[in-house]
Amino acid sequence: MRSSSVKKLVIAALLCAVGIIIPMYSPIKIVLEPASFTLGSHIAIIIAMFVSPFVAGAVAVGTALGFFLAGFHIVIVIRAASHIVFALAGAFILQKRPAILGSIPRAGIFALIVAVIHAVCEVLVVMPFYYGTMSAEEFTRAVILLVGVGTVVHSLVDFILAYVIWRALRSSKAL
């Protein structure tokens, strides 16, 4: 039991480090205010979600804290903090139904559900910063389409990458 807890703590720490480093140094970044997309930035959180709710929560909190300590803009820090919601929701679903990850179609449906939760959280975080500062059309285009739909797409791409990495790590017995 203790060995399992230590292993999960080490995995959480390593994933926190990866989750902080990728957004800081990734060469693939797209910024379309108020949205920003960094390829792979959610991989650590998604892999943590596959491990356990504890690891998912720890990595989501750790990466948000990392963004804060690195001096990122407050909107980005709060967006990172909102990842706690989708990470925990996904981890609890997987805890009850671990077979989801054993099937690509089920994993795909799960990924879409998690991506929508992720997008809703990010839209809710961004809305107060932009509501009233732009026309209704600009707000819809910027917040709903760029942040909302963009986050769904970004989340799905990162889920696919995380899923491939996870399956490789599981088959190698690394996790």
Side-chain angles (χ1 to χ4, degrees):
M1 177 72 171
R2 182 171 180 198
S3 158
S4 175
S5 297
V6 171
K7 183 178 178 180
K8 284 184 180 178
L9 189 61
V10 170
I11 291 169
L14 290 170
L15 289 172
C16 277
V18 169
I20 293 168
I21 289 170
I22 288 174
M24 291 178 76
Y25 298 107
S26 175
I28 303 171
K29 294 180 185 180
I30 299 169
V31 178
L32 301 167
E33 191 76 26
S36 62
F37 308 104
T38 303
L39 182 65
S41 62
H42 303 104
I43 290 174
I45 293 172
I46 294 168
I47 291 174
M49 189 172 59
F50 298 163
V51 176
S52 76
F54 166 77
V55 175
V59 173
V61 169
T63 54
L65 187 58
F67 277 88
F68 176 72
L69 294 174
F72 279 85
H73 189 275
I74 192 66
V75 177
I76 293 171
V77 173
I78 297 170
R79 282 177 56 201
S82 78
H83 295 161
I84 295 166
V85 176
F86 88 80
L88 286 175
F92 281 117
I93 291 168
L94 290 174
Q95 187 177 43
K96 289 185 188 274
R97 297 176 185 253
I100 288 172
L101 295 178
S103 158
I104 291 175
R106 283 190 301 237
I109 293 167
F110 172 74
L112 183 59
I113 291 167
V114 168
V116 169
I117 294 168
H118 181 179
V120 167
C121 290
E122 292 218 7
V123 166
L124 290 174
V125 163
V126 169
M127 281 176 71
F129 292 94
Y130 292 92
Y131 186 77
T133 64
M134 44 181 75
S135 71
E137 182 181 317
E138 291 171 324
F139 182 82
T140 301
R141 187 177 327 115
V143 176
I144 306 303
L145 292 178
L146 276 178
V147 176
V149 175
T151 297
V152 169
V153 172
H154 183 201
S155 189
L156 289 171
V157 169
D158 281 357
F159 188 96
I160 291 166
L161 295 171
Y163 188 73
V164 168
I165 293 166
W166 170 254
R167 300 232 353 170
L169 289 172
R170 295 291 291 173
S171 66
S172 73
K173 307 284 190 229
L175 285 178

